[in-house]
């Protein structure tokens, strides 16, 4: 895989961020969640839902070959989201996004970093977070 690039999201990225979120949940969470749970998770989501966080500089995206393939959302003390297109999963993209988010979350933060994740992502997130930051906890999204 050639080099990837992570940058802060911009407002025009909101639509693709929404699409990545939707595709990732539908494509990667089917082993753990029912179709009904996934449908409820995604219900009423639109690209507008990401715009405030983009304006606040909280969302960052991963580009590969001029294509946005993943995004993360981090604030002080918390990794809020970390999603990658299914065809790019298990290629280290999620790890790079999570590491980028950890740097944001731990800035000026001496407390525990909270990592919000789905059941399948819990061990991955905690392992990556604890490698560089001793105090991490995970909360699972349902």
């Amino acid at each position: 895989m050639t080099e990837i690039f992570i940058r802060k999201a911009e407002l025009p990225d909101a639509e693709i961020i929404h699409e990545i979120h939707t595709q990732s949940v539908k494509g990667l969470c089917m082993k753990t969640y029912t179709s009904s749970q996934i449908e409820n998770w995604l219900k009423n989501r639109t690209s507008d839902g990401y715009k405030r966080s983009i304006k606040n500089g909280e969302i960052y995206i991963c580009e590969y070959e001029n294509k946005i393939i993943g995004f993360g959302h981090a604030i002080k003390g918390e990794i809020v989201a970390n999603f990658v297109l299914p065809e790019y999963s298990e290629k280290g993209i999620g790890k790079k996004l999570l590491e980028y988010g950890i740097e944001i979350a731990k800035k000026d933060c001496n407390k525990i970093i909270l990592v919000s994740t789905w059941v399948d992502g819990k061990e991955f997130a905690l392992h990556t977070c604890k490698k560089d930051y001793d105090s991490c906890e995970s909360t699972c999204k349902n």
Side-chain angles (χ1 to χ4, degrees), residues 2-15:
T2 59
E3 193 170 336
I4 64 165
F5 178 68
I6 298 177
R7 66 167 172 83
K8 291 285 186 182
E10 300 169 356
L11 284 176
D13 299 324
E15 190 64 43

Side-chain angles (χ1 to χ4, degrees), residues 6 16 30 32 35 39 44 49 54 68 71 80 96 125 129 131 133 137:
I6 298 177
I16 190 67
M30 292 301 281
T32 307
S35 299
E39 184 179 317
N44 299 322
I54 291 171
I68 298 173
F71 79 96
V80 179
K96 288 189 183 302
C129 183
K131 180 182 74 164
Y133 198 72
E137 289 185 3

Side-chain angles (χ1 to χ4, degrees), residues 52-111:
R52 187 173 89 207
S53 297
I54 291 171
K55 287 178 186 176
N56 290 339
E58 300 167 356
I59 296 182
Y60 41 95
I61 60 158
C62 178
E63 292 181 340
Y64 172 69
E65 295 183 343
N66 297 317
K67 178 181 179 182
I68 298 173
I69 60 170
F71 79 96
H73 180 181
I75 58 175
K76 181 179 174 181
E78 182 177 358
I79 307 294
V80 179
N82 202 63
F83 291 93
V84 176
L85 287 171
E87 60 267 31
Y88 292 94
S89 70
E90 299 191 25
K91 297 186 185 320
I93 306 300
K95 181 179 178 185
K96 288 189 183 302
L97 282 165
L98 188 57
E99 289 170 343
Y100 187 92
I102 288 168
E103 292 304 311
I104 294 168
K106 72 181 188 180
K107 186 176 181 186
D108 301 322
C109 182
N110 296 321
K111 297 181 181 178

